[in-house]
Amino acid sequence: MSTVARLRFQGITKSFPSVKALSDVSFDVQPGEIHGLLGENGAGKSTLLRILSGVFKPTSGTVLVDEKPVAFKKPMDARLAGIAMIHQELQQVPHLTVAQNMFLGHSVTKAGGLLVARREQERRAAEALSMLDPGIDPGAPISSLKVAQRQIVEIGRALLDKARIIAMDEPTSSLTPSEFERLADVIARLATSGVSIVYVSHKMDEVFRICQRASIMRDGRLIDVVDLSKVSHSDVITMMVGRELMQDAHISHATSTVKLQAKNLTSPKIRDVSFNVRKGEVVGIAGLVGSGRTELLRLLAGVDRISTGSVEIDGKPVTLANPRDAIAAGIGLVPEERKRDGIVPGRSVTLNMALASLPAFSRGGFISKGRVKTTANDLLKRVNLRPFLLDRPIRLFSGGNQQKAIIARWLAARSDILLFDEPTRGIDVGAKSEIYHLIEALAAEGRSIVVVSSELPEVIRLSDRVLVMRDGQIAAELPREGLSESAIVAHAIPGVTGAAPAA
């Protein structure tokens, strides 16, 4: 390692009126290093990155770039110092072009600054993107790009700013494995050119794949800086959470009683899908992005309209024309896009929990706040909400705790069929373990569970059997005894050999 660090945090402490978010954090990042920043939600990672990007000022301590102290009053100061931040939720304007997004805030102008030099912007954008993905058209609307390409546009924007340090916060939360590999190659090329990367992710496989070292944080403190070639996944997780996570074997609670029966479901993106879910059973749904997994759950939740086909619950036909029908039938959806589709950000965690069952808390058209509070107290304790602040806006909770509140919503609504779409996306390893145990506890109570996940180990960990989807159809049904990543992939990807006939 070079003795001249590209980035150094030296004794960084950050205090807010009610909490100390960071306490004496010190570590360095070398030129051309891809450095992991790891910890559970609430460990202090985001606060540290906000200090690096000029959003917060440290209470004490110093940030050094190329061993020179820097003090940022605003984010623009950090950008001018060669620091770029790529957020999990991309900061882009959908109706603008790729080039316009790359030059937001510092447009190239002509005619004495009166006009934007659009062609010059597109030329410079193409030049910046050439080493990353020359197939991206600078004149195309940013909304027409895949998420992986939009991530690359953000990296290109950082290169336009001549960034020497790029911090990436959960950059692959919405990417497929193949898209991650492409992004990993881009990051490796950046590092080879001397750019230093601070990489935040909850996905241990990714961190070990691309990072050389990692700084591990817990409760606002630096626990250790480790050489990832000399430690195991479990070593890192134990340092992150302060305990060993339970690695329980799968236990089935499935009964012989069919709870939900779907027959020949068809919609614009689903073709003739039939399957059932028994009481106490966890049915996993795997497949590539675009295979129809999410669309199938949306049909069952009444979000999208079923063109043909039928659904029976407890042997009786039900109409699922809208979400109200689904809720009345005892179906609850935990959506993939939690922040967009699952919560009302500015409202309390208590109100968010009660959204699906407000009539049950009403008398004479008025909601009984006392009854809501009592139910919230019971159910949010059950799902282990942390911190246990019932009046706090849900947007201030971590992703894992937002997910717990959504699960509590369906417990309040007495839903006995639960649909989980990517249940642990963007959730740290400690909360992920808790979500797994919650799903299993719900199955043990006799609820019927459907889980869609892009993480094959997760599908295998949770499921009694797995339906593999491809092109809007069920390509295979794999029993528990035959579950493996290779078996799932063999059915999910057209042309892969070794696939057994569908059950």
Side-chain angles (χ1 to χ4, degrees):
M1 287 290 179
S2 166
T3 56
V4 179
R6 172 58 48 80
L7 170 66
R8 189 184 299 278
F9 295 104
Q10 193 166 285
I12 298 294
T13 295
K14 179 61 179 178
S15 297
F16 296 97
S18 59
V19 67
K20 180 180 279 189
L22 295 171
S23 182
D24 194 29
V25 174
S26 300
F27 67 89
D28 64 75
V29 181
Q30 297 292 313
E33 181 186 5
I34 307 170
H35 190 102
L37 181 59
L38 308 179
E40 292 187 277
N41 288 328
K45 307 185 303 295
S46 295
T47 302
L48 193 64
L49 292 186
R50 287 186 178 115
I51 289 172
L52 176 63
S53 60
V55 176
F56 292 160
K57 296 178 183 178
T59 303
S60 62
T62 306
V63 177
L64 299 97
V65 174
D66 294 328
E67 302 293 11
K68 297 177 182 177
V70 293
F72 305 136
K73 295 181 179 179
K74 55 186 183 297
M76 182 58 72
D77 294 342
R79 286 180 60 181
L80 294 174
I83 297 169
M85 179 78 191
I86 297 178
H87 300 271
Q88 179 180 358
E89 296 178 9
L90 298 175
Q91 311 293 298
Q92 295 170 335
V93 182
H95 66 272
L96 296 183
T97 67
V98 168
Q100 287 170 329
N101 271 279
M102 290 175 68
F103 282 93
L104 275 177
H106 55 106
S107 299
V108 179
T109 60
K110 60 184 179 181
L114 297 176
L115 300 174
V116 173
R118 183 168 179 172
R119 288 186 180 178
E120 178 61 15
Q121 284 190 167
E122 291 183 0
R123 186 191 69 77
R124 294 189 194 180
E127 188 176 307
L129 292 169
S130 62
M131 71 168 284
L132 305 175
D133 185 345
I136 296 176
D137 178 5
I142 196 82
S143 58
S144 68
L145 271 57
K146 295 181 179 178
V147 174
Q149 293 175 309
R150 293 174 62 182
Q151 290 277 14
I152 288 171
V153 169
E154 286 292 280
I155 296 172
R157 182 181 181 184
L159 296 182
L160 281 175
D161 291 338
K162 302 189 185 306
R164 294 171 292 164
I165 300 165
I166 301 178
M168 299 184 175
D169 187 7
E170 295 286 352
T172 65
S173 61
S174 299
L175 304 190
T176 65
S178 61
E179 288 172 333
F180 161 70
E181 288 298 331
R182 186 175 186 180
L183 182 62
D185 289 340
V186 169
I187 291 171
R189 291 202 300 272
L190 288 173
T192 300
S193 71
V195 176
S196 297
I197 311 291
V198 179
Y199 190 88
V200 176
S201 179
H202 294 309
K203 298 180 179 179
M204 290 297 104
D205 289 344
E206 291 183 3
V207 172
F208 276 79
R209 157 83 167 75
I210 69 171
C211 298
Q212 292 86 45
R213 295 189 300 155
S215 293
I216 301 169
M217 299 184 66
R218 186 171 75 239
D219 298 329
R221 297 179 180 275
L222 180 73
I223 301 302
D224 202 356
V225 179
V226 297
D227 181 337
L228 291 171
S229 67
K230 297 178 181 178
V231 293
S232 68
H233 289 211
S234 60
D235 291 335
V236 170
I237 290 171
T238 298
M239 284 186 272
M240 286 169 58
V241 303
R243 66 190 188 281
E244 289 191 21
L245 294 180
M246 292 183 291
Q247 300 295 326
D248 299 336
H250 176 80
I251 299 175
S252 177
H253 301 285
T255 68
S256 59
T257 304
V258 173
K259 180 67 179 179
L260 179 145
Q261 177 81 52
K263 297 180 179 179
N264 309 113
L265 295 185
T266 300
S267 73
K269 295 184 179 180
I270 297 297
R271 295 188 291 157
D272 196 30
V273 167
S274 298
F275 71 101
N276 63 56
V277 188
R278 293 171 289 164
K279 288 185 177 181
E281 185 180 26
V282 180
V283 174
I285 300 182
L288 301 178
V289 172
S291 63
R293 305 168 307 168
T294 292
E295 289 78 9
L296 179 57
L297 294 198
R298 287 171 63 89
L299 290 182
L300 297 175
V303 179
D304 294 338
R305 186 63 64 92
I306 297 171
S307 302
T308 60
S310 63
V311 176
E312 295 180 359
I313 295 177
D314 294 327
K316 299 177 181 178
V318 294
T319 299
L320 302 175
N322 53 56
R324 284 194 186 91
D325 289 345
I327 293 169
I331 298 173
L333 172 65
V334 181
E336 176 184 14
E337 295 291 343
R338 182 171 52 247
K339 292 183 179 178
R340 186 187 69 190
D341 300 330
I343 64 172
V344 181
R347 295 291 186 171
S348 71
V349 66
T350 293
L351 181 61
N352 273 273
M353 179 224 67
L355 283 177
S357 50
L358 286 175
F361 297 111
S362 301
R363 287 288 184 274
F366 293 94
I367 295 172
S368 169
K369 292 184 179 179
R371 295 184 65 209
V372 172
K373 202 70 168 275
T374 298
T375 302
N377 187 71
D378 292 341
L379 294 180
L380 294 173
K381 273 184 181 175
R382 178 181 171 187
V383 299
N384 195 27
L385 181 78
R386 296 196 308 267
F388 196 71
L389 301 173
L390 301 187
D391 294 324
R392 191 185 203 193
I394 196 170
R395 64 181 172 80
L396 300 179
F397 287 85
S398 68
N401 283 287
Q402 290 176 4
Q403 198 77 318
K404 291 175 189 177
I406 297 171
I407 294 171
R409 173 186 303 160
W410 299 119
L411 298 182
R414 303 183 184 277
S415 302
D416 44 20
I417 300 170
L418 297 177
L419 314 175
F420 289 86
D421 195 356
E422 301 288 0
T424 64
R425 173 167 289 171
I427 291 176
D428 65 58
V429 290
K432 179 179 287 193
S433 179
E434 290 187 86
I435 297 296
Y436 289 173
H437 284 91
L438 271 172
I439 289 173
E440 289 166 335
L442 294 170
E445 293 173 0
R447 287 181 169 85
S448 302
I449 312 289
V450 181
V451 174
V452 165
S453 178
S454 299
E455 296 187 31
L456 297 186
E458 180 168 274
V459 172
I460 293 169
R461 165 71 176 79
L462 291 171
S463 303
D464 294 306
R465 58 192 168 99
V466 172
L467 309 177
V468 185
M469 294 195 69
R470 187 173 72 226
D471 298 328
Q473 295 178 301
I474 293 177
E477 179 181 320
L478 303 177
R480 179 76 201 172
E481 297 73 26
L483 282 184
S484 68
E485 293 190 36
S486 59
I488 292 172
V489 170
H491 291 287
I493 301 177
V496 173
T497 59

